[in-house]
Amino acid sequence: MSKTLSVNAGSSSLKWQLYEMPEEKVIAKGMFERIGLKDSIVTVKFNGEKEEKIYDVHNHVEAVEHLLADFKRLNILSDLTEITGVGHRVVAGGELFKKSTLVTPEVLQQVKDLSSLAPLHNPANAQGIEAFMKLLPDATSVVVFDTAFHTTMPEKAFRYPLPNKYYDEFQVRKYGAHGTSHMYVAQEAAKLLGKPIEETKIITCHIGNGASITAVKGGKSVDTSMGFTPLGGIMMGTRSGDLDPSVFPYLMAHDSSLKTAQDVVDMMNKQSGLTGISELSSDMRDIRDARKEGNPKAMLAFDMYCDRIQKYIGQYLAVLNGADAIVFTAGIGENAEYMREGVLEGLSWFGIDLDKEKNSTYGTVEISKENSRVKVFVIPTDEELVIARDVEALKK
Ligand code: ADP
């Protein structure tokens, strides 16, 4: 018996989950928010209780120091050596990392070198790795990449039709994201279908604040909606998703508040999507409430949101030449039955027949009618568990 920690370090946050392995039992979980700012928020959930404290956490090393102290103070662990493995989510693995990998000084450097592909994420991920390696030097450290699952995409799907030199010299291509989640729910869906995953065609829709859709054939990603960065693909909470790139210079020429290319990218990342259209919120629950009150901007935001998901499902039905199942997961995918209905309603011609009654239930559930040619499932994602499993596998 040993304990494994799954870690997801963001630029100002650090989420963690402690597992008893190989039982896959969650012992405790929690997060640090507002790292580096005043009044950081530190939450620990253990034994059915939640503790929340507010104090200043200046950096990731300090966060890890507090976490390890909390493990002892709250009797979550009697000795820190019980933690034998730490798995870290890393956003960008580029073309270098096709699967989860043990951390060595060289691997850590490569994670840092890939920061140009994920400037907000990889440096924070690297800080998390370094903090744990310093304070738990005997634990096995593993990196689990968001992009790894998508490295099976064929070249025709991952290349952009730009001059070759931009791929050859600058590695501009589609990398995708949320790979751990797409892989997990595709595997769970294959179990529900009662088929070996090698024989399945599944469209996975990870619809959270960030959102992406993947075509999974035989358990492998063959195409995904996010692109070079997580800005591409469907409309999201605050991100635009796909656009005609000509919008970019046009806006710079006409809106004096957009002075640099980075200003435009920031606007497309942070002020667009549901937020941009509803002028209200990036949170689907707020959009739902405003729609009910007849707010026209919220109604348009919702309709556009469903429209983009529907179109990608249509694309991937073509890419896969039909599908055995469509899966919805993540915050909105798991909880917003009205979004699932808005997306699936117009797809009956494809053999997708939603059961509205089943669609209003929660947890792992089949929401299509019994005779629906394409099954539709809601499957709660569990990226932390995949990370813990990968640590276990690499420890042996
Ligand atoms: P991320 O990991 O990308 O931050 P999540 O998968 O946790 O995102 O999803 C967060 C989003 O899920 C929220 O912004 C909100 O829009 C949506 N969400 C969460 N709970 C619900 C709910 N009960 N009903 C509808 N939407 C929800």
Side-chain angles (χ1 to χ4, degrees):
M1 266 197 326
S2 64
K3 287 167 181 90
T4 294
L5 199 57
S6 282
V7 177
N8 183 353
S11 50
S12 65
S13 69
L14 190 147
K15 293 184 200 159
W16 58 270
Q17 199 145 317
L18 184 68
Y19 287 89
E20 183 84 59
M21 296 300 275
E23 292 79 1
E24 301 187 347
K25 185 176 157 232
V26 178
I27 305 168
K29 61 180 173 181
M31 66 170 137
F32 291 79
E33 293 166 273
R34 296 176 53 86
I35 295 175
L37 300 173
K38 235 196 133 21
D39 295 338
S40 314
I41 308 166
V42 184
T43 335
V44 180
K45 285 187 191 165
F46 173 57
N47 261 347
E49 295 198 11
K50 180 175 164 180
E51 182 187 271
E52 186 175 295
K53 287 191 167 184
I54 312 258
Y55 52 84
D56 294 353
V57 180
H58 298 97
N59 52 50
H60 288 72
V61 175
E62 254 188 58
V64 179
E65 280 168 354
H66 286 300
L67 176 61
L68 299 181
D70 280 349
F71 281 159
K72 292 185 114 173
R73 178 177 60 83
L74 296 166
N75 279 326
I76 296 172
L77 297 174
S78 48
D79 197 295
L80 294 176
T81 55
E82 288 173 54
I83 304 175
T84 54
V86 186
H88 299 269
R89 174 190 181 212
V90 174
V91 168
E95 293 194 317
L96 213 50
F97 293 103
K98 300 196 184 319
K99 53 183 193 321
S100 300
T101 308
L102 285 171
V103 181
T104 60
E106 192 193 355
V107 166
L108 181 60
Q109 189 55 46
Q110 286 164 333
V111 167
K112 291 181 185 170
D113 292 344
L114 286 162
S115 291
S116 59
L117 297 179
L120 296 180
H121 295 102
N122 271 38
N125 301 152
Q127 280 181 22
I129 298 167
E130 280 176 324
F132 277 100
M133 286 180 84
K134 184 168 168 219
L135 297 165
L136 292 176
D138 296 328
T140 305
S141 273
V142 170
V143 273
V144 179
F145 297 92
D146 254 28
T147 47
F149 181 60
H150 299 302
T151 56
T152 49
M153 282 190 285
E155 192 165 5
K156 66 175 180 182
F158 75 66
R159 287 287 299 274
Y160 293 122
L162 296 169
N164 284 324
K165 67 172 180 181
Y166 296 117
Y167 174 60
D168 297 338
E169 291 173 31
F170 304 111
Q171 293 80 51
V172 173
R173 49 159 285 177
K174 183 187 271 200
Y175 291 102
H178 299 136
T180 316
S181 175
H182 288 293
M183 182 187 79
Y184 174 78
V185 297
Q187 288 170 348
E188 292 300 303
K191 287 185 207 160
L192 294 174
L193 288 166
K195 273 188 174 184
I197 195 159
E198 294 74 21
E199 294 168 20
T200 59
K201 296 192 279 189
I202 299 169
I203 298 172
T204 51
C205 307
H206 176 109
I207 316 290
N209 198 19
S212 65
I213 302 188
T214 298
V216 186
K217 190 174 187 180
K220 296 195 163 112
S221 168
V222 292
D223 205 350
T224 194
S225 61
M226 277 182 172
F228 179 60
T229 72
L231 181 53
I234 53 177
M235 175 174 163
M236 306 176 215
T238 60
R239 295 183 205 142
S240 63
D242 294 343
L243 290 174
D244 176 348
S246 312
V247 168
F248 208 109
Y250 184 85
L251 288 182
M252 283 185 76
H254 289 85
D255 181 349
S256 58
S257 74
L258 301 171
K259 293 194 173 54
T260 63
Q262 193 56 47
D263 290 341
V264 184
V265 169
D266 284 348
M267 177 272 288
M268 289 173 177
N269 261 312
K270 296 178 188 155
Q271 296 160 31
S272 301
L274 289 175
T275 295
I277 300 296
S278 72
E279 295 176 359
L280 198 70
S281 171
S282 64
D283 194 306
M284 186 51 90
R285 288 163 288 198
D286 299 329
I287 305 296
R288 172 199 59 196
D289 295 345
R291 248 180 106 224
K292 273 196 196 138
E293 289 159 12
N295 178 319
K297 288 176 181 159
M299 286 158 93
L300 176 63
F302 180 80
D303 289 347
M304 288 172 66
Y305 194 85
C306 294
D307 173 84
R308 300 310 192 269
I309 299 173
Q310 203 177 54
K311 284 175 183 161
Y312 260 99
I313 290 176
Q315 267 192 51
Y316 291 162
L317 283 167
V319 166
L320 296 170
N321 190 16
D324 299 298
I326 297 172
V327 184
F328 286 91
T329 194
I332 301 174
E334 290 167 31
N335 294 301
E337 74 286 353
Y338 44 90
M339 179 280 296
R340 298 191 298 256
E341 188 178 326
V343 167
L344 298 174
E345 240 180 1
L347 297 178
S348 59
W349 185 83
F350 293 96
I352 299 165
D353 216 349
L354 182 72
D355 184 323
K356 287 190 184 170
E357 209 167 298
K358 288 191 206 157
N359 187 37
S360 54
T361 48
Y362 293 91
T364 298
V365 57
E366 182 177 328
I367 57 169
S368 45
K369 286 193 182 144
E370 200 138 344
N371 55 358
S372 180
R373 191 146 42 92
V374 181
K375 302 273 174 225
V376 186
F377 300 119
V378 176
I379 301 177
T381 194
D382 199 341
E383 291 155 290
E384 292 77 15
L385 177 60
V386 176
I387 293 173
R389 283 179 181 165
D390 282 1
V391 175
E392 275 304 286
L394 283 165
K395 258 201 259 170
K396 284 165 194 154

